[in-house]
Structures are given as C-alpha cells and as structure tokens.
Amino acid sequence: MKAHTKETQAAMTPNSALDELKAGNKRFQKSLKVDRNLLGQVTDTSTGQYPFATILSCIDSRVSSELIFDQGIGDIFSVRIAGNFVNQDILGSMEFACKLAGTKLIVVLGHTSCGAVKGACDNAELGNLTSMLSKIKPAVKAIKEPEDVSLRNSSNIEFVNNVAEKNVNLTIQKILEDSSVLAEMHKNGEIDIIGGMYDIKTGAVTFYE
C-alpha cells in the first residue's frame, strides 16, 4: 500500500477520515494489518506528506496511534504528551497540520488507567511534572462524584477513567476556544474535532460522536 498523495488526501472528508481510523482500529483488534512496504512509503513521502488525520494522544507506551489505528508512514500527524492536553505550541502544531498540511480530522485520544490522570487525581508533585499535571486538574474538579475525598484518587479506577473522559472533552473545548484558525475550519466543515478513549485491556477505541 502506497502513502497518501495530494489527490487521495483531497478526496477524503472528515467522515471518511474517521471511518479509516475506525477500520484501522478494528484491524488492530483482530491482529490484522494492511500490507505496507514501509520503506517504500519512506520513498513515497520523501518529497511531501499528505496525512489525513491529526491525533493528540498520551505518551503512554501502550498507546501508539500508528499501531492502534494500523497506519503507515505519512498517514497521520501524531502529537503526544502525557495527559493529552493542549497548550499554545500544540495548538500551533495542529493549525499547521490542518490549515497548511491538509488533515481533515483532529482526534483527542485519552486512554483508560492513564498515569498522568492518576497523578492529577493524587495531586502528585515532582519537578516539572507538578506544572504539567495542573493542566489536567480542571477535569478532576469537573467530576463531582464521588464526593468522598477518600474515593477521589488513583485507587478508584472508575473515577480515574471518568476524569480521563472529561479531560478529553475539556481539551476539545479548549481547542475551539483558543484556536480561531481551527474553530473557523470546524465551523466551515473543513475539519471535524472528535474525542475518543482507548481501552488498554482490549485495544478498542471508543469515539465520542
């Protein structure tokens, strides 16, 4: 399978981009792969790249977007940071990916049992990690149940996963609030911005549609 070209990228829509990721994740869950010549794709993309989606995910070693969506060289822009939140630099990267490089879809992908979310729930403090985890704290505060403080920590995996889902939703909200470029593209239907959650036990991605 060859890498995407300007023509194949242009032919895709936000919906077809999402369908491709869904199909790729189903293949991944069945231990199937599209037959790709990765070195051939290196050659194909040596003069240009035409990815169809931009995925913001966690740095977690179990959540590689290229693998869980069965994608090859030049197919997706992959943005990774612990806790899959956005800042000015990440927003700038997304604006490049969508406005200048032509991707049709942004996926904010959280995952179950997220270590960064657990750290935010536990108020962990360690060097620069302290500041980073503060970006996830709004999601912790937004989840009102349980009220019992003793249950609002990493030992309560249901609470952790609810915070992770809320963090995805708040991240999408922040993208639209803080990037006029992406908000306009979204309003015009040029791109879609969607959230999802990866289950580290099953390999399945649930999209929030």
Side-chain angles (χ1 to χ4, degrees):
M1 186 174 182
K2 290 185 174 293
H4 275 281
T5 65
K6 186 175 183 178
E7 291 72 27
T8 61
Q9 182 199 58
M12 296 191 80
T13 66
N15 284 338
S16 65
L18 179 57
D19 287 342
E20 172 55 34
L21 293 181
K22 288 180 177 178
N25 183 241
K26 286 182 180 178
R27 291 193 299 272
F28 173 73
Q29 291 177 67
K30 296 177 181 178
S31 292
L32 301 174
K33 289 182 180 181
V34 167
D35 186 18
R36 292 183 176 89
N37 180 342
L38 292 178
L39 286 179
Q41 290 186 334
V42 169
T43 301
D44 292 342
T45 57
S46 62
T47 56
Q49 58 172 335
Y50 303 97
F52 66 89
T54 299
I55 302 175
L56 169 64
S57 62
C58 186
I59 66 166
D60 193 290
S61 64
R62 300 163 291 185
V63 193
S64 166
S65 294
E66 287 83 357
L67 293 178
I68 67 175
F69 291 116
D70 185 32
Q71 298 302 311
I73 304 293
D75 290 338
I76 60 173
F77 281 117
S78 183
V79 186
R80 301 188 69 176
I81 190 167
N84 42 269
F85 62 86
V86 289
N87 57 22
Q88 189 174 28
D89 299 318
I90 292 172
L91 287 173
S93 298
M94 289 179 165
E95 289 169 356
F96 164 78
C98 295
K99 190 69 175 181
L100 300 181
T103 63
K104 308 299 179 68
L105 178 70
I106 292 176
V107 177
V108 179
L109 186 67
H111 68 94
T112 57
S113 300
C114 179
V117 172
K118 289 179 179 180
C121 292
D122 290 344
N123 294 306
E125 295 186 358
L126 174 67
N128 292 299
L129 183 64
T130 306
S131 175
M132 190 205 76
L133 292 180
S134 69
K135 312 294 195 308
I136 307 173
K137 292 290 182 69
V140 179
K141 294 178 181 177
I143 299 299
K144 302 303 181 183
E145 299 291 340
E147 294 183 359
D148 186 343
V149 177
S150 68
L151 298 176
R152 297 176 62 85
N153 55 57
S154 63
S155 65
N156 183 350
I157 197 61
E158 181 180 2
F159 175 65
V160 169
N161 291 341
N162 286 339
V163 171
E165 180 176 348
K166 175 59 71 172
N167 183 52
V168 166
N169 294 329
L170 291 179
T171 297
I172 292 174
Q173 181 179 322
K174 190 168 180 62
I175 291 170
L176 292 171
E177 289 176 351
D178 292 358
S179 172
S180 58
V181 172
L182 297 174
E184 182 180 13
M185 293 185 75
H186 184 256
K187 180 180 179 181
N188 293 339
E190 298 172 68
I191 63 170
D192 198 3
I193 305 175
I194 191 169
M197 186 67 63
Y198 175 74
D199 190 324
I200 63 166
K201 291 183 178 180
T202 67
V205 173
T206 301
F207 288 100
Y208 305 141
E209 300 181 69

